[in-house]
Each structure stands twice: as C-alpha cells, then as structure tokens.
Amino acid sequence: MKLLTIETQQYLSYYISRYRQVEAFGVDLYVLNGEGTPDFWPPERYRLVGSKKIDDIIAQARQWHAEEHFDGVITFSESAVITVAAVAEALGLPGIPVDAAVRSRNKYLMREAYRQAGVPVPGYRLVESVDEALAAGAAFGYPVILKPTMGAGSHFVFRIDDPGEMARRYAQAAAGIRDMFWATSEADGIDLGPQGLLVESFLAGREYLIEALAWDDELYLGSVVDRVTVEGSTFDDDVHHAPTSLPPEDLAKVHRVVADAARAQGLHRSVMHAEVRFHNGEPHLLEIAARVGGGGLDLIARLTAGYDPIRAVVDVGRGVKPVVRHYRPTGTHIAAMCLICDEGVVERVDVPPEVSGSDKVFLLKITARPGDLIRRPPNGNTILGFLGTTGSSEEEAMSTMNDFASRIDVQFAR
C-alpha cells in the first residue's frame, strides 16, 4: 500500500512521529512538502516542490502519482487539509470536497454553516477594526472571545473581559496573525474565505475534545476527553483527563450535535477532531477539524477508548471504512498535558530517568529543540512538549503527571 502525505509548508519535524506510526501499519509512505527542508525524509520517498502555490503542488503530485500509483493522500497538518483535498480531487483519489475543507479551516465559514443548519454555536461576528470588535463586545456582553479565522493551537486566542482589554488584545492579535505560521502556511491560489478576527460570545461550561469518524450516514465518537485546564485570559489547552466524566445523557447530546455539525461542514467520509463546550447545560460546537487531534490525543484514544485515529487516517485515505465502534471506555485512566515554560531561546531540556523510564508514562515528547524560540502570549503560544501518565483513577494519574512535570528542567540561552 502506498500513501502520499503532504505538508503545504513543513512544520519543523513535528509530524515525523505520526509518519512512523503510519509506516508501522505496513504503508509505504511518500512525503511531499510544498516548502521545507531537503533532507526531511528518505530521498527515494520524498519530494520538495519549493512552492506553496496549489497548482505547483498538484503538478508535482500528479507527476509522482503517475510513477508510483498512490492508494490515497493524507495529512496530519491543519494547514494542509485544503491542499490535500485539492490534490485528492485532481488525482481522483478519496478525499473530502475542497469546499468542505475550506469550511473546516476557516472558522467564520464553519460557523456560518453551523448556523444555517441549526447547530448550537456561540454568537459570533467577523470584525475588521478595533471599533467593530468593541461594538461586538458591547453587543454580546463581556467576557467575549477573540480569535483568528484561520489559526490553530490557540495562537492569538484571548478571553476579553472589558473594552480596554479588547483594544489592547485586538492590536496584538491583528499584528500577530500577519506572520503566524498557521495563517501563512496555507496554499497560495485557493480562496480561503474571509481572513481576520472573530469576536464570539463566551460559553461558560466545560470543554471536551473528541476524536470522531464520519462514514456515510454514521458518526462515531471514537474518544472523548475532558479538558480540565484552569482558564485565564489565554487558552493553553494544557491539561486533559480521560475517560470522559460526561454522563450517558450528555454523551448522547454531544453525539447529535457533532453529527449535525459534520453534515453541515460537508464531512461524510473523514476523520475529525471536534471541540465541544457546554453552555446552560447544552453542548455547543467550537470547531471540527478534518484531521486527527494533535499532541497525544491518538495515544489517549487507543488507551482509554480502544480507537486508533492514526489507523483511521490510513483507512479513510485509501477509501476503506476503518474498524471503529461507538464510544466505549476501556477503564484505563490517563492525565496528559502540554508542557508549558517561560518565553525564551531553549538551551537545554533535562528529563530525569525516573520520568523518562517510568512505566506510568505513556506519552513523553519534547518538541522544542536547542535554539528554538519559545513564544508565550501575547507573542504566540509555543509549547515545550507533551507528557501523559496512567493511573487506576483520575486522581492518581493527575498526581503522577504533576509530579513528573515538575521534574523536567528547561535552561534558556542567556
């Protein structure tokens, strides 16, 4: 089996661990990067276009497909979802429609689709100036959320509590998204919809992260994870627990709204990462990404729910229904976090052996390398890495995770 994976603009070496997981399923994985480094992947299975123009990427993919006869085209990168949809369409391979891919990336178009389908969402306005942002804040009532239409990883997403904070944060976000990777790494030559910032009404309840699968008329919740972060003015999305604490009746509500949202978005055969927040006792859609969740959410799904999102990517990419069941916890408890540190240039990260060698650690990934610049809000939202631990209960898993995280030491260049 041969699969082609694409990054429109290479994101460091972040996805290589995912590519290795794909290879473990017996896949011959070929990598096509629009822009990137020349030594990224074994040379016989790697091509670098040298351009983010969609026509250039499609031309290179079409030429390679004529030589290798790929069974499918996939991605793990948020900013390549639209590119992959366009390439799959051009090559006659399985994939989601390009317009569905655009709705899956542009949060304004996504919310418009949800609203038209009657899917519960926060109130929202596309704003093009600080005056429009202030008017939206006054209309919705503070607190409100400010976020980019094209983004990822909670970069330049702020909770705003008053007009003065809105004026300050709007200026920071409007400047920041001009060179934010997740906004600038999309393919050139495709209409991506309105670019800018959204102001949204605040949803006051708990948030849940879902790895899901749409296959024809059926929607499967493969994994449901509680987001347990104590929130401030920024959203680090850093602490999680699974299996979910949601009771069956609320899980049923979540299933219905995610299914309705997937249909509204045009996702009929797709892996999905959905984010849902409750408000006044009812689930509201924050977003559905047409790719699997980042960090260790794939490992969490396997451990706590018996669902393998990476295997699902492989199967959906080649047009085969994955092995999947409706959500059923395995009984294993996990706690996981994004490792957050101060801002600065990393000199060294020390992980003691009692952490790296523990059988309670199922996820340990330091993504920052010496020389990398860590940015913290309002300048960005870079993380140090990921840590996940297991336990016989939520309390045990959380205690172990916090203890181990405190032992990881970061030294910064002076």
Side-chain angles (χ1 to χ4, degrees), residues 115-126:
R115 180 185 60 79
Q116 293 169 15
V119 176
V121 293
Y124 61 94
R125 282 191 190 178
L126 181 68

Side-chain angles (χ1 to χ4, degrees), residues 22 27 89 95 357:
V22 170
V27 174
E89 180 181 272

Side-chain angles (χ1 to χ4, degrees), residues 32-191:
L32 178 66
N33 285 346
E35 294 181 349
T37 56
D39 55 351
F40 180 75
W41 196 246
E44 68 276 10
R45 289 181 285 115
Y46 179 59
R47 291 190 181 180
L48 182 61
V49 180
S51 166
K52 292 197 294 104
K53 294 179 180 178
I54 190 62
D55 290 345
D56 294 343
I57 294 173
I58 288 174
Q60 183 70 262
R62 183 179 281 120
Q63 178 184 336
W64 213 5
H65 181 49
E67 299 169 13
E68 298 293 347
H69 307 290
F70 298 120
D71 297 293
V73 55
I74 64 173
T75 193
F76 296 104
S77 172
E78 176 77 353
S79 59
V81 166
I82 299 171
T83 300
V84 164
V87 169
E89 180 181 272
L91 271 52
L93 295 171
I96 64 175
V98 173
D99 61 346
V102 173
R103 283 193 295 272
S104 299
R105 279 293 288 130
N106 188 300
K107 292 179 176 58
Y108 175 72
L109 297 180
M110 185 187 298
R111 276 150 182 68
E112 286 286 276
Y114 293 165
R115 180 185 60 79
Q116 293 169 15
V119 176
V121 293
Y124 61 94
R125 282 191 190 178
L126 181 68
V127 295
E128 298 180 351
S129 68
V130 66
D131 288 340
E132 290 184 4
L134 288 166
F140 291 136
Y142 292 95
V144 294
I145 302 298
L146 181 70
K147 65 174 56 172
T149 56
M150 303 285 287
S154 298
H155 287 255
F156 301 103
V157 178
F158 299 115
R159 168 179 161 152
I160 312 293
D161 289 317
D162 57 58
E165 188 177 9
M166 174 66 84
R168 185 173 75 256
R169 292 301 201 187
Y170 182 89
Q172 292 168 349
I177 63 174
R178 292 183 194 132
D179 60 1
M180 179 178 64
F181 176 87
W182 299 111
T184 62
S185 57
E186 293 285 343
D188 300 324
I190 295 180
D191 183 359

Side-chain angles (χ1 to χ4, degrees), residues 76 88 198 282 327:
F76 296 104
L198 291 174
E282 297 297 325
Y327 179 64

Side-chain angles (χ1 to χ4, degrees), residues 193-241:
Q195 305 296 297
L197 295 167
L198 291 174
V199 174
E200 297 183 345
S201 62
F202 185 71
L203 304 179
R206 293 278 301 272
E207 187 173 322
Y208 302 88
L209 310 181
I210 299 156
E211 298 306 302
L213 173 75
W215 192 264
D216 295 341
D217 294 325
E218 193 70 44
L219 188 285
Y220 299 88
L221 302 182
S223 170
V224 186
V225 176
D226 294 358
R227 182 174 183 265
V228 296
T229 306
V230 177
E231 293 177 347
S233 62
T234 60
F235 295 83
D236 288 320
D237 195 24
D238 58 342
V239 182
H240 306 93
H241 165 259

